[in-house]
Amino acid sequence: MRRLTVGLALLSSLCSWPWLGGQADSSLGAPAVRAAAERGTNILIVGTDSRSGLSAAEKRRLHVGGQGCDCTDVMMLVHLSEDRRRASIVSIPRDSYVEYATPEGATAPARRGKINGAFKIGRGPLTVRTVEKVTGLHIDHYLETGFTGFEQAVNNLGGATLCTDKPLKDENSGLDISAGSHRVDGNGALRYARARHIDRPGDLGRVRRQQRLLADMLADLTVRGALTDPVSAASTAHKLLKSVPTDERTGLDDLVRIGWSLGRLSAERTEFATVPISHFDHRVPGVGSTLLWHKVRSQALWDALRADRSITGDTRILPVPETRAETDPARIEVRVDDATVAKALRRNKFVVTDTSASAPAVRPAGPAVITYPVGHEADAATLAAALPGAHRRATSRTDAVFDVAVGSEPVAVRTVTYDRNVADGAPVTADRLRCTDLARASAS
């Protein structure tokens, strides 16, 4: 009865509330002034890396030993379009090198550092103002969670589904799952979200997995009807608020409206992307290895969000290469038994050994054949993109070297383009990220 009463009250109040407009009164200090042309609603979601208050037993259970940085470990900017027909979710890598906003009352020049460090200096308020400064976007709402908060949120929402086409194991995060689809609790989801030492390694690969996790959770909540009406959205928002603190501008009513908006979106209208990067290992004394945003592409991304446009398929954000390489050719070792083909592949940055001296005098009938080690299918696809028409054949040998045997048919080597931004963070809709079993369930 109480749930019904709450739902009816929310339903009646929703009829008179404006849809998620920004509010000037805030504990975040002076927010960025919303530009007259800026449309839609922006929500900043962060996950913090702090062991403060965790017992030794909790650290072991969550597999979060070591020293925390007291910084933001995850940062996602969610843009809801003004007509509530699209959501764009942009991950901001934690090592992004930026200029911080000036803390309240500070007189010293603005500092520069990794964007995750803004939290240590000025907590949520400075984090929000820094994101507003570097993106030029107004942040309307802010949600923050730590390790235990994330675990509890996933548990309260009914768990999560993970899917992978190969085993994933990361000793640092405690992740250890086999290929396939897995239903996990908050602890399992946390290990998956924190993993950085699996393929694809590093922060961008981890960010893409976080996006996949969120896409699957949204699909799961939609399938279970947890966001389909004000009553169910209120129940879901109430569960979320138990472990996810918000700023003073964000209450239960805001989360209900946000959740209800997301619950009515199809996967094709939910977009995920990562800020385009120009330098992936920009070394700064006293700061370490950082990421530099691609000025033109990242600005195109923020401009699209400000104008309330879709970000998928926008070549100003990421150009579409004529022949895309999924993996980096510079990391693929290839033995080629034809000198001309070997030279052309070397121009494509493959690591090539020319074995033409031992090639057969009479070439076997048919196209070229790529022999590759089992488990290196992605690299085999990259090599095959450069050799259109070549056949692929897997082998059980243990090395990571590829062999190209040229046959009687002519070989035309195509120029392939590897862009790590495209491989790890290109704008993509949720239906291309989430698990296929959830996709089938939501379509039925």
Side-chain angles (χ1 to χ4, degrees), residues 359-365 406:
V362 178
R363 296 286 181 177
V406 174

Side-chain angles (χ1 to χ4, degrees), residues 94-98 113-115 277 279-293:
R94 64 181 189 173
D95 291 340
S96 300
Y97 188 57
V98 301
K114 296 180 180 181
I115 199 167
I277 305 298
H279 293 80
F280 291 88
D281 187 21
H282 178 65
R283 299 280 173 166
V284 180
V287 179
S289 177
T290 68
L291 302 173
L292 290 185
W293 293 356

Side-chain angles (χ1 to χ4, degrees), residues 8-9 81 146 157 180 225 243 265 341 415 429 433 442:
L8 290 173
S81 65
L157 295 177
S243 57
L265 292 176
V341 175
T415 300
T429 50
L433 279 181
S442 61

Side-chain angles (χ1 to χ4, degrees), residues 223-248:
V223 168
R224 292 193 283 114
L227 299 172
T228 54
D229 56 67
V231 176
S232 57
S235 175
T236 301
H238 180 67
K239 292 174 183 177
L240 192 65
L241 282 175
K242 290 180 179 179
S243 57
V244 180
T246 67
D247 64 286
E248 290 184 0

